[in-house]
Amino acid sequence: MSTFYLRTESIKTEDIKKLSVISHQDKEIIKSLILPDPCLLEGSRGTGKSFLLKLTEIEVEENYPNCICVYISFNISSLIKTDDHFQFYHWMLAKTLKALLNNLRKKGISIDTNSASLLSNDESENEEDISQNLKEIVKQYENSYKGKSTINIEALPDIEDVKEAIEIICKENNLDRIYFLFDEAAHVFRPEQQRQFFSLFKDLRSPYITCNAAIYPGVTYFGNSFEPLHDCIYLKLERDIRDTNYVSYFKEIVFNQSDETLKKSIQTHESLFITLALSCGGNPRFLLNTLRDISTFNSKNVEQVIKDFYRNKIWSEHTDLGEKYFGHKALIDWGRDFLEKGVIPSIIRYNDARKSSDKQESTIYFWVHKDAPETVKEALRLLTYTGIIRKIDSGIRATKAELGTRYEVKFGCILSLEPNPHNISKAFFNNLAIAKFLEFGKNSPAYNSILDLVEVINDDEGVFEKSISNILLKPISVLELLTEWQKKTLNDAGIYTISDLHNKTEAELIAKIYNVGPVRARIMKRAVDAELLEYISG
């Protein structure tokens, strides 16, 4: 049976290269991430940003002996709740320095007392003491969701001292550069966290430091002090279904994780695989998700999975964001209605009309006027985050030479509405014309039901904290990527809620799971943590 890894966090570092498929675009992205200039890598959920960061870490490790790569994930950021106004900045700084010291230790690099004193505001000169202090600060922040905490951050150094210490470490150990790879840069529904992240991102600029980060499209708040066009190299991770090597690229991704039975089935029914690959619209996680749900690889099952996933599951995941994060619920629900009741029916009517007129044209594209209400733009940004739509370009002229932004609806979302999706997939794809798109002007009646932006979005921390508390009380059954055996095993060990699971250390979990050895329990712990934190982070 094939085992598909849906998240990079579940893959052992030694298996990353074995599972990797590198396109020309991927090579260029990795090359850019190794440049001295800071980079931001933008991509929707499931497109492979974390995987490319990990490949970059391996590339530096293997081919740049005078450089060090430090990979840091901030996916637990939603649980921070203290009296510190700059809590996220301070937590990030402590977590970053802790990760740096761990990496230096693994490399056998010790730091002298001068560097140590710069990395500690309490004048500690012992590397182990500093590491322990940082570990304690990080732990206090990450446990602060249990009750609002006041944390003593006196031991944290000034950012200028951090840069000076890193310069000394590099010079004394013949290092050219230290790369920080930030994943899950900040919680997408906490704009203040994102602004503080980009403050740290910019503050760490130095001839000896390069910061790179993975971010989401449309839902990233840079703050007033950071300008993406001037302060970094801005990269986009997108895979266009119209690219020449698109199908072969995704086929190789699947084959790297498939058993021989599935490989043979795909080779025998290649057209079915092409339909699945096109349906995912460039998102590897979507493709692997649909393949995982196919018991026998035949047209009946493939068509049923396409209908189930792109008519229901993909929308349920988007709606679930509103159920998790109450402050954005109205906007998330409106965005779904706008697509399902406005955009997609209009696209289908257009395609049917062109077909009736014997015109070999079809579309999955729509256009929104540049002066459309901000609420509309915000709702569309959230739809790009979940990957239901993709922003193709802006400044596109439509009827009457008006300017706007062009979007692509996921191929599978349109195809799944057909009675027999596979039967029409090839002709539908071959007739796609990007120059043909549905238009929604600045005063479109489709916007009438949306309220003023201020009334729709509630970024109040109290609302967010209530959302997080609600998430933590949910049963572990909501974690879809856990197997039924895992869920039952955890329940048998007295772990029923997300909070129960999150509060268990690896040692505690291993001790509680009966008849399961430490190695298997540790693998399970890694898998559940990845799924748990993905669920919490949106």
Side-chain angles (χ1 to χ4, degrees), residues 425-465:
S425 175
K426 183 176 180 180
F428 180 40
F429 172 73
N430 288 338
N431 292 336
L432 281 181
I434 195 170
K436 304 297 181 181
F437 45 81
L438 278 298
E439 299 178 22
F440 292 85
K442 60 183 175 184
N443 297 313
S444 171
Y447 311 149
N448 290 344
S449 60
I450 197 67
L451 301 173
D452 181 76
L453 182 65
V454 176
E455 297 178 44
V456 172
I457 299 179
N458 188 340
D459 281 327
D460 179 76
E461 279 294 296
V463 175
F464 184 86
E465 289 166 8

Side-chain angles (χ1 to χ4, degrees), residues 317-335:
E317 183 176 333
H318 184 74
T319 297
D320 192 42
L321 287 178
E323 299 301 322
K324 290 181 189 178
Y325 303 108
F326 311 136
H328 289 70
K329 180 173 170 36
L331 200 64
I332 288 166
D333 290 346
W334 183 87

Side-chain angles (χ1 to χ4, degrees), residues 262-291:
L262 181 57
K263 287 179 184 177
K264 186 175 179 180
S265 296
I266 289 174
Q267 288 169 333
T268 304
H269 305 286
E270 188 170 21
S271 64
L272 289 175
F273 176 78
I274 292 172
T275 296
L276 282 170
L278 293 175
S279 294
C280 82
N283 190 306
R285 188 181 294 172
F286 287 172
L287 176 59
L288 296 175
N289 248 319
T290 49
L291 279 166

Side-chain angles (χ1 to χ4, degrees), residues 156-328:
L156 285 179
D158 179 81
I159 196 69
E160 293 303 318
D161 288 342
V162 170
K163 291 192 286 187
E164 185 179 345
I166 288 175
E167 180 177 344
I168 293 171
I169 291 167
C170 287
K171 286 181 175 178
E172 290 184 345
N173 294 279
N174 196 30
L175 295 174
D176 294 330
R177 183 166 297 277
I178 292 177
Y179 292 91
F180 289 110
L181 304 178
F182 297 118
D183 203 4
E184 301 284 350
H187 201 287
V188 297
F189 294 112
R190 296 183 92 168
E192 181 55 34
Q193 275 197 358
Q194 296 190 42
R195 286 188 278 266
Q196 289 188 28
F197 169 77
F198 286 108
S199 290
L200 179 65
F201 190 88
K202 190 171 182 178
D203 289 346
L204 278 172
R205 179 164 292 179
S206 151
Y208 297 91
I209 301 171
T210 294
C211 291
N212 297 318
I215 62 172
Y216 293 108
V219 290
T220 300
Y221 299 85
F222 298 105
N224 296 326
S225 63
F226 189 88
E227 297 181 53
L229 293 178
H230 301 287
D231 292 326
C232 68
I233 298 171
Y234 204 96
L235 308 169
K236 289 191 176 185
L237 180 55
E238 297 178 327
R239 299 181 179 88
D240 195 322
I241 61 175
R242 297 166 300 159
D243 289 346
T244 306
N245 298 320
Y246 176 87
V247 172
S248 60
Y249 176 77
F250 276 90
K251 187 176 180 181
E252 192 174 349
I253 287 176
V254 171
F255 272 36
N256 279 356
Q257 300 191 39
S258 299
D259 59 19
E260 291 304 316
T261 301
L262 181 57
K263 287 179 184 177
K264 186 175 179 180
S265 296
I266 289 174
Q267 288 169 333
T268 304
H269 305 286
E270 188 170 21
S271 64
L272 289 175
F273 176 78
I274 292 172
T275 296
L276 282 170
L278 293 175
S279 294
C280 82
N283 190 306
R285 188 181 294 172
F286 287 172
L287 176 59
L288 296 175
N289 248 319
T290 49
L291 279 166
R292 193 184 64 159
D293 290 341
I294 297 172
S295 54
T296 304
F297 203 79
N298 57 40
S299 58
K300 180 182 177 182
N301 289 338
V302 166
E303 289 194 330
Q304 188 57 51
V305 163
I306 287 173
K307 290 176 183 179
D308 289 344
F309 189 83
Y310 294 102
R311 286 185 186 180
N312 302 311
K313 288 184 180 179
I314 195 172
W315 295 105
S316 295
E317 183 176 333
H318 184 74
T319 297
D320 192 42
L321 287 178
E323 299 301 322
K324 290 181 189 178
Y325 303 108
F326 311 136
H328 289 70

Side-chain angles (χ1 to χ4, degrees), residues 78-79 145-146 465-476 496-503 532 535-536:
S78 57
L79 300 181
Y145 71 94
K146 297 177 181 178
E465 289 166 8
K466 183 181 177 184
S467 298
I468 290 296
S469 298
N470 184 61
I471 289 171
L472 291 169
L473 291 174
K474 289 189 175 184
I476 60 171
Y496 303 107
T497 68
I498 287 178
S499 180
D500 292 340
L501 181 54
H502 180 66
N503 287 335
L532 171 67
Y535 185 84
I536 291 174

Side-chain angles (χ1 to χ4, degrees), residues 17 27-37 53-70 103-104 107 109 170 173-179 181 208 210 212:
K17 282 190 75 173
K27 287 180 182 176
E28 292 303 308
I29 287 174
I30 292 172
K31 191 184 298 183
S32 295
L33 290 170
I34 299 174
L35 293 174
D37 299 305
L53 289 183
K54 281 292 187 180
L55 284 173
T56 301
E57 182 183 25
I58 293 169
E59 175 73 13
V60 171
E61 181 80 22
E62 292 180 349
N63 298 309
Y64 296 82
N66 294 330
C67 295
I68 288 179
C69 226
V70 184
N103 276 40
L104 291 173
K107 295 278 187 183
I109 298 173
C170 287
N173 294 279
N174 196 30
L175 295 174
D176 294 330
R177 183 166 297 277
I178 292 177
Y179 292 91
L181 304 178
Y208 297 91
T210 294
N212 297 318

